[in-house]
Amino acid sequence: MITVFTPIYNRANIIGDLFKSLKRQSNKDFEWLIIDDGSTDNIKQVVENFQSQNESFEIHFISKPNGGKHTCINMGTELAKGEMFFIVDSDDYITDDAIDKIYKMRDDIDQNGGGVPYCGVAGLRIKKDGALMGSTFKDKTYVDATSLERAKFNINGDKAEVFFTDILRKYKFPTFDGENFVTENVVWLQMARDGYKIRWYNEPIYVCEYLEGGLTDLNKKNLLKNFYGDIYTNNLYIKLYGYPLLMRIRIYGCAYEKYKIDKDFKKLKYILDTFGIKKPTLRTSYAIYIIYKKFKNILRRSK
């Protein structure tokens, strides 16, 4: 079985398209697990209406206090009955043959895996007009690569990953008191660090449009509001991508600038401990970062 997983927060008015696409699936061997992240709209009534209209697949609905999408995924992997875990956001939907394609992708791994450790498979995301999200490789049916190797194969932009539930269950998202955002990439990259590959296919299975006010639209604002999650993520990127010195200086300087907003010394200590640097290094990085920002603004105005 496949678990189609949908975290939701105040999106009761648009989740209908996803429900319709699930009803249209050529293969009904899946469950739909919805976790409400503290919504204040009528999502419970909307889902109850879906349940009354549907007998083809199970719909499970769980409510929890608001904590962010990543906390919903942590909970969802524990509750999922499916062998595979397919995250589909409430404002998106899937192609009519998506479930069937995922099973075929999984079966292809079983037959041709060759002992390679896989954490899942992935298809393409497309826009409602059929345009491809991001870019992909050419002249191949699939490519085996970790999430850290995506650029090497031109697998850029958002894709539709479907993970083996038992593997994803082992990789929990970090949580920080008072914060509600950590990018999903932190878990995908940790699986890549441990050698897990994904079989990436040139098959569209996911249809999306990034709506105003959605997580993608709010990503930069979320990073500003979620200080600890941002530092944690940047430290992971430094380690796994091997950022050069100038990139690290910019990250350190930006972190210090965020600390200076409220001068919370717990935040300062977290910066130093997480990055493994000393105060002089941090302050020097900040000075260089400020010069860089001023120079960048001068260049921008001169154009």
Side-chain angles (χ1 to χ4, degrees), residues 261-298:
I261 294 173
D262 56 12
K263 294 186 177 179
D264 182 343
F265 285 98
K266 290 182 180 178
K267 292 182 177 179
L268 178 60
K269 186 176 186 304
Y270 187 75
I271 292 172
L272 298 174
D273 290 347
T274 302
F275 290 137
I277 58 177
K278 303 294 184 181
K279 283 185 182 179
T281 300
L282 183 61
R283 288 171 177 159
T284 301
S285 296
Y286 177 64
I288 296 172
Y289 174 69
I290 292 301
I291 294 171
Y292 162 79
K293 283 179 65 176
K294 289 181 179 179
F295 183 69
K296 186 176 180 181
N297 288 335
I298 290 171

Side-chain angles (χ1 to χ4, degrees), residues 1 5 52 55 63 70 123 139 185 202 220 232 252 280-281 302:
M1 181 191 289
F5 174 70
S52 69
E55 295 180 355
S63 288
H70 63 298
D139 304 323
N185 211 25
N202 274 337
K220 290 183 179 180
Y232 176 93
Y252 299 157
T281 300
S302 66

Side-chain angles (χ1 to χ4, degrees), residues 60 112 241:
H60 306 286
N112 304 302
Y241 286 117

Side-chain angles (χ1 to χ4, degrees), residues 9-259:
Y9 177 70
N10 287 342
R11 292 281 181 170
N13 60 319
I14 56 175
I15 196 174
D17 285 345
L18 174 53
F19 174 58
K20 292 174 184 176
S21 76
L22 294 177
K23 289 184 69 176
R24 292 195 300 266
Q25 289 305 300
S26 53
N27 187 330
K28 297 293 198 303
D29 187 16
F30 65 91
E31 64 169 354
W32 189 19
L33 174 59
I34 305 165
I35 293 188
D36 167 36
D37 193 35
S39 297
T40 56
D41 60 10
N42 64 329
I43 182 59
K44 182 178 181 181
Q45 289 73 29
V46 169
V47 173
E48 287 174 348
N49 186 45
F50 292 163
Q51 290 169 327
S52 69
Q53 298 177 40
N54 173 69
E55 295 180 355
S56 301
F57 53 90
E58 293 183 353
I59 302 175
H60 306 286
F61 177 79
I62 307 293
S63 288
K64 73 173 200 58
N66 181 258
K69 180 179 179 180
H70 63 298
T71 64
C72 292
I73 298 173
N74 283 347
M75 178 182 285
T77 56
E78 295 299 323
L79 298 173
K81 298 177 184 177
E83 172 196 358
M84 305 197 77
F85 195 83
F86 186 18
I87 303 170
V88 185
D89 291 338
S90 55
D91 49 352
D92 301 328
Y93 59 93
I94 61 178
T95 62
D96 294 357
D97 57 356
I99 298 297
D100 214 22
K101 283 182 177 179
I102 292 167
Y103 275 117
K104 290 175 182 177
M105 293 174 187
R106 181 208 62 183
D107 292 344
D108 194 33
I109 282 181
D110 291 343
Q111 295 171 18
N112 304 302
V116 175
Y118 290 96
C119 59
V121 299
L124 300 176
R125 291 193 187 208
I126 58 174
K127 297 180 181 179
K128 292 182 179 179
D129 63 3
L132 174 67
M133 301 293 294
S135 60
T136 188
F137 51 89
K138 297 180 180 179
D139 304 323
K140 292 183 179 180
T141 303
Y142 63 80
V143 164
D144 290 340
T146 72
S147 290
L148 284 166
E149 298 172 320
R150 290 179 59 174
K152 174 182 176 182
F153 295 101
N154 196 39
I155 307 170
N156 299 310
D158 287 342
K159 303 304 177 197
E161 296 96 335
V162 188
F163 295 100
F164 290 111
T165 308
D166 61 343
I167 296 174
L168 184 56
R169 197 174 279 142
K170 299 175 184 177
Y171 291 84
K172 298 302 184 189
F173 287 90
T175 58
F176 303 95
D177 290 343
E179 297 192 358
N180 63 4
F181 178 79
V182 174
T183 176
E184 292 164 54
N185 211 25
V186 301
V187 164
W188 309 167
L189 292 182
Q190 287 182 70
M191 288 192 284
R193 173 201 62 196
D194 293 342
Y196 284 108
K197 292 182 179 290
I198 294 173
R199 180 160 285 184
W200 309 86
Y201 285 85
N202 274 337
E203 291 283 348
I205 61 174
Y206 192 114
V207 184
C208 61
E209 292 287 347
Y210 293 135
L211 301 179
E212 183 176 351
L215 275 179
T216 302
D217 179 56
L218 296 174
N219 191 37
K220 290 183 179 180
K221 293 180 181 178
N222 280 328
L223 291 176
L224 290 173
K225 292 179 181 178
N226 296 274
F227 174 88
Y228 292 98
D230 186 32
I231 301 300
Y232 176 93
T233 302
N234 277 314
N235 184 57
L236 185 69
Y237 288 171
I238 288 171
K239 290 181 176 179
L240 297 184
Y241 286 117
Y243 283 167
L245 178 60
L246 288 178
M247 179 73 80
R248 297 199 306 272
I249 286 173
R250 284 178 58 188
I251 290 173
Y252 299 157
C254 183
Y256 190 74
E257 184 175 58
K258 292 173 184 175
Y259 149 73

